[in-house]
Amino acid sequence: MKHGGDLTDAIARHGGAAEEWLDLSTGINPWPWPILQHLPESAWQRLPSRADSEALLEVARNAYGAPGGVDIAVATGTQALIQWLPYLGASGPVAIVGPTYSEHALAWRNAGHPVVAIDHPGACPDSAVHAIVVNPNNPDGRVTDHAALARVAARLKERGGWLIVDEAFADVDPAVSAAALCADLPVLILRSFGKFYGLAGLRLGFAIGAPEIAARIATALGPWPVSGPALLIGAAALADQPWADRTRHELQQQARALDEVLVKAGFAIAGGTSLFRLARHPQALQLHAALARQHIWCRSFDWADDLLRLGLPPDDAGLHRLAAALSG
Amino acid sequence: MKHGGDLTDAIARHGGAAEEWLDLSTGINPWPWPILQHLPESAWQRLPSRADSEALLEVARNAYGAPGGVDIAVATGTQALIQWLPYLGASGPVAIVGPTYSEHALAWRNAGHPVVAIDHPGACPDSAVHAIVVNPNNPDGRVTDHAALARVAARLKERGGWLIVDEAFADVDPAVSAAALCADLPVLILRSFGKFYGLAGLRLGFAIGAPEIAARIATALGPWPVSGPALLIGAAALADQPWADRTRHELQQQARALDEVLVKAGFAIAGGTSLFRLARHPQALQLHAALARQHIWCRSFDWADDLLRLGLPPDDAGLHRLAAALSG
C-alpha cells in the first residue's frame, strides 16, 4: 500500500462499496471544518484574484506563526510543493530523516538527486546539500526540537542548501512548529491544510521561508496555483481559532479512545500524533489482512512487519466496529 | 495589465466594488456549466481517489478526441502544465509563435531556456528544440492547420524536442484540435477546462501526448494534483455533450452581438474566437482608459496600441452598458 486514503486497491481486492468501508488509512481529521454552505458561484467561475490570494496568505501567515521578514507561498497541497522543491534548490544530495512519508525521497530521486536515508538530524552527512525532517514525524510522531533543527540548518547554510521541515501534522501541537527559524536560517516549512481541517480534497498547502526561497517557489508555481474555493475556504478556516483550539482538544480525546481499543486488542502504542496512532503487534500484518476482510482499512509498512498506523474512527460506531473486528 | 480576469489592479486605480465592474478582460465563458448543487461532502474531505481520477481521465480522453495509444494527464489548469513543461523536456531553445499568451515564454525563460519569438510555425529555426503554438491563437484567433503543425513536429522529433499545442480555446471548434497528431509525433496538446465551461476558479486542465511524455508529466505532478470537486465536476461537465453543442452555438451568437457593438463604435474586428474578440481602433488605449473609468475592464497589449481584446458580456444589460460606454 503506497498511500493511505485511497480505497481503490482495497475495494478491488476485498470488495464492498466505498461507503461500507471504515477507512482508517489516513491521518485526516474525520470531523472537518464546516465548509461554507454557500460558496459564492464566482469562486468557481472567475479566475482566483490576487486580492483573494493575498487575503489567504495573510491569514495563513498568522495561523502558522510566520515571523516578520519571512514569506509564504501557497500550493495545491504540500504534495505539489514536495514535487517542485527538488527542481528549485541547489543541486546535490538530500538527507532524509526516516522512515517517514515516502514521497519526499521519491520526488528527489525522480528529479535525479541522490537520497541519503538517516535516522536522526544529527546524522546528516557532510555530502548532503539539503535535509528533510518531517516534524512531528509520520508515522511514529517523533518530534525533533528546534535546537537540533537549527544546528542542521546552520550546516546546510554553509553549503547553500535548505532544511525542509514538513509540518504536515504540526497543527495538533503548534509549539512544535519551527517557523521562527526561517527568519535567520535556510529553513523551509511545509504546512498541510487538509489534514487537520479534514478537507484533504480541497488541495491546499503552504511553504514558509526566506523571501528569496518563497519567491522562487511562487515563480515556479505560476499564477492561480490553487482553486477559488480553496482560497475562500482556507482563509475562513485558518481564521477560525476557536475551532482549531476545540479540535486540538477533541482529537486528543479521540486518540486516547483509539489507544484504549488498540491496547485492549494486544497492541503496544509505538507513537503517532492525535491524528493517527502507530501501534505495534507481533501479528500486525495478519491483523491488517483480517481487518481488510472486514472492510476496515489501515496502513501497513514495507519496512516493518509489526507496525500498523490507524487514523481516528469518525464516530463511536466506527470505534466499536474496530474493537469488534480486532477481537473477532 | 499582465492578465485578464483579475480586477485587483483595476479597482485599486479606478475604484468601485468588484461586483460593479463589467469584467470583459478574460476569454472565460460567462454562462458556466451548472455545477452540481450538492457536491458530496466527501469530495472536499477525502483525498481524491485513483478511481475518481481515472474516471475523469476516461471522460476527458473521449471529450478531447485523444486517439488510441495516446495518454492524458490532469493538472490544476493548463497553467500548472505550462509551469512544469520547461523542466521536463530536452534542454534547449524553444520557439514560440506569437504574439500570444505570455506565460509560455515567461515559464521557459524562468527555467533558463532561450526563447525565440517567431510569427508562424514554418519560421521555427533549426536551433529550436521545442516549439509552442497556441491554436486557435490568443488574442488573434489565428488557426494553424494540422499539416503545418505536423511538419514542425516532424522536424522537432529529429532533435528530441516537443511541439506544444496550447488548445485553451479549441472547445469552441473541436475540428481545430491536433490531438490526432499525438499518436505518431512528439506533439503535446494542452486543454483548458475552465474557459469553455466557465469554471476558471476550479483549476483544471489536461495534457494529451505520447505515453512517455504523459507519464513524465504525471510523475512530475505527483499524487492528487487536482481537487476532489474538480475531479467530479470535470467528469460530469466533460460528459455533457448536449451542453457543449448548445454552448458552442450560443457563444457564436453572443460573439456576433459583441462584434456589432464594437463595429458600431468604430472598431474593426481583427480576430478572436467566440470566447473573446480582438478589435482594432486607432484610439484603442484611450478607449481602454475611458471604459475603465466607467468600470468596464478589457484587455490591452504592450505590443500594440491599436488593439483591445474583449470577452463576452454576461447578459444584454452588459452588452448595452458596453455600447453606451463606447458611445459616451
Side-chain angles (χ1 to χ4, degrees):
Chain A
M1 171 193 195
K2 195 176 159 203
H3 288 293
D6 194 334
L7 292 172
T8 308
D9 287 339
I11 290 171
R13 197 167 342 153
H14 300 281
E19 60 275 15
E20 293 163 16
W21 279 77
L22 176 60
D23 183 5
L24 306 179
S25 68
T26 77
I28 299 166
N29 177 359
W31 303 281
W33 187 81
I35 53 172
L36 311 173
Q37 288 307 307
H38 298 284
L39 264 182
E41 293 209 340
S42 61
W44 303 101
Q45 294 164 6
R46 299 181 56 90
L47 278 168
S49 73
R50 217 178 59 229
D52 283 344
S53 176
E54 285 168 2
L56 170 64
L57 291 179
E58 191 53 38
V59 172
R61 168 188 283 284
N62 188 46
Y64 294 137
V70 155
D71 271 351
I72 182 163
V74 64
T76 47
T78 46
Q79 186 63 44
L81 295 162
I82 290 170
Q83 300 295 136
W84 264 114
L85 293 181
Y87 293 86
L88 303 180
S91 193
V94 61
I96 302 180
V97 179
T100 192
Y101 183 57
S102 59
E103 291 288 337
H104 288 287
L106 201 56
W108 287 80
R109 273 202 203 95
N110 281 338
H113 300 276
V115 172
V116 187
I118 56 177
D119 63 7
H120 67 284
C124 185
D126 288 343
S127 62
V129 174
H130 308 286
I132 299 175
V133 179
V134 179
N135 201 38
N137 190 44
N138 172 8
D140 62 5
R142 181 166 54 151
V143 170
T144 303
D145 65 46
H146 294 182
L149 294 172
R151 277 195 300 275
V152 183
R155 289 172 57 203
L156 296 171
K157 187 179 187 177
E158 295 166 11
R159 305 169 204 165
W162 297 341
L163 172 64
I164 297 163
V165 184
D166 180 348
E167 298 185 351
F169 293 100
D171 305 69
V172 298
D173 184 3
V176 166
S177 178
L181 298 182
C182 300
D184 300 311
L185 288 164
V187 172
L188 189 65
I189 306 280
L190 305 184
R191 297 292 304 228
S192 166
F193 174 81
K195 295 175 180 70
F196 180 70
Y197 289 88
L199 297 168
L202 192 64
R203 310 311 299 134
L204 184 62
F206 300 89
I208 301 166
E212 63 272 22
I213 306 178
R216 209 182 296 184
I217 293 170
T219 299
L221 291 166
W224 321 295
V226 302
S227 70
L231 289 181
L232 295 186
I233 293 171
L238 287 170
D240 190 349
Q241 200 58 52
W243 183 91
D245 292 339
R246 201 165 60 236
T247 296
R248 264 177 218 115
H249 179 70
E250 287 170 4
L251 291 173
Q252 278 176 8
Q253 291 186 307
Q254 297 294 334
R256 267 198 292 270
L258 174 56
D259 283 356
E260 280 175 30
V261 166
L262 293 171
V263 168
K264 200 168 286 182
F267 283 91
I269 305 303
T273 73
S274 52
L275 280 165
F276 59 83
R277 308 304 291 161
L278 187 70
R280 193 181 303 277
H281 193 290
Q283 277 87 48
L285 296 186
Q286 294 92 315
L287 286 167
H288 184 270
L291 290 174
R293 284 192 297 272
Q294 296 170 81
H295 296 177
I296 297 175
W297 197 230
C298 63
R299 191 99 217 239
S300 60
F301 301 93
D302 55 14
W303 46 268
D305 58 9
D306 60 347
L307 290 174
L308 294 181
R309 195 193 71 180
L310 296 98
L312 304 177
D315 49 31
D316 282 349
L319 197 64
H320 296 148
R321 185 174 159 195
L322 174 66
L326 285 171
S327 74
Chain B
M1 168 193 199
K2 197 176 158 204
H3 287 294
D6 194 334
L7 292 173
T8 309
D9 287 338
I11 289 170
R13 200 172 333 156
H14 300 281
E19 59 275 16
E20 293 162 17
W21 279 78
L22 176 59
D23 184 5
L24 307 179
S25 68
T26 77
I28 299 165
N29 177 0
W31 303 279
W33 187 81
I35 53 172
L36 312 173
Q37 288 307 307
H38 298 282
L39 266 181
E41 293 208 341
S42 61
W44 302 102
Q45 294 164 6
R46 298 181 57 89
L47 277 168
S49 73
R50 216 178 58 229
D52 283 344
S53 176
E54 285 168 1
L56 169 64
L57 291 180
E58 191 52 38
V59 172
R61 167 187 284 285
N62 188 46
Y64 294 137
V70 155
D71 271 351
I72 182 164
V74 64
T76 47
T78 45
Q79 187 63 44
L81 296 162
I82 289 171
Q83 301 294 136
W84 264 114
L85 293 180
Y87 293 86
L88 303 180
S91 193
V94 60
I96 301 181
V97 179
T100 191
Y101 184 58
S102 60
E103 291 288 337
H104 288 287
L106 202 57
W108 287 80
R109 273 202 203 96
N110 281 339
H113 300 275
V115 173
V116 186
I118 56 177
D119 62 8
H120 68 283
C124 185
D126 288 344
S127 62
V129 174
H130 307 288
I132 299 175
V133 179
V134 179
N135 201 37
N137 190 43
N138 172 10
D140 62 5
R142 182 167 53 152
V143 170
T144 303
D145 66 45
H146 294 182
L149 294 172
R151 277 194 301 274
V152 183
R155 288 172 57 201
L156 296 171
K157 185 178 186 176
E158 294 166 12
R159 305 168 205 167
W162 297 342
L163 172 64
I164 297 163
V165 184
D166 180 348
E167 298 185 351
F169 293 100
D171 305 69
V172 297
D173 183 3
V176 165
S177 178
L181 298 182
C182 300
D184 300 312
L185 289 164
V187 172
L188 188 65
I189 306 282
L190 304 185
R191 297 293 303 227
S192 166
F193 175 80
K195 294 175 181 70
F196 180 70
Y197 290 89
L199 296 169
L202 192 63
R203 310 311 299 134
L204 184 62
F206 300 89
I208 301 166
E212 63 271 22
I213 306 177
R216 209 180 298 182
I217 293 170
T219 299
L221 290 167
W224 321 296
V226 302
S227 70
L231 289 180
L232 296 187
I233 293 171
L238 287 170
D240 190 349
Q241 201 57 51
W243 183 91
D245 292 338
R246 202 165 59 237
T247 296
R248 263 175 220 118
H249 179 70
E250 287 169 4
L251 291 173
Q252 279 176 7
Q253 291 185 306
Q254 297 293 334
R256 267 198 292 269
L258 175 56
D259 282 357
E260 280 175 30
V261 165
L262 293 172
V263 167
K264 200 169 285 182
F267 284 90
I269 304 304
T273 74
S274 52
L275 280 165
F276 59 84
R277 309 304 290 163
L278 187 69
R280 193 181 303 277
H281 193 290
Q283 276 88 47
L285 297 186
Q286 292 93 315
L287 286 167
H288 184 269
L291 289 174
R293 284 192 297 272
Q294 296 170 80
H295 296 176
I296 297 176
W297 197 230
C298 64
R299 195 101 214 237
S300 61
F301 301 94
D302 55 14
W303 46 268
D305 57 9
D306 60 347
L307 291 174
L308 294 180
R309 195 193 71 180
L310 297 98
L312 303 177
D315 49 29
D316 282 350
L319 197 63
H320 295 148
R321 184 173 159 195
L322 173 66
L326 285 171
S327 73

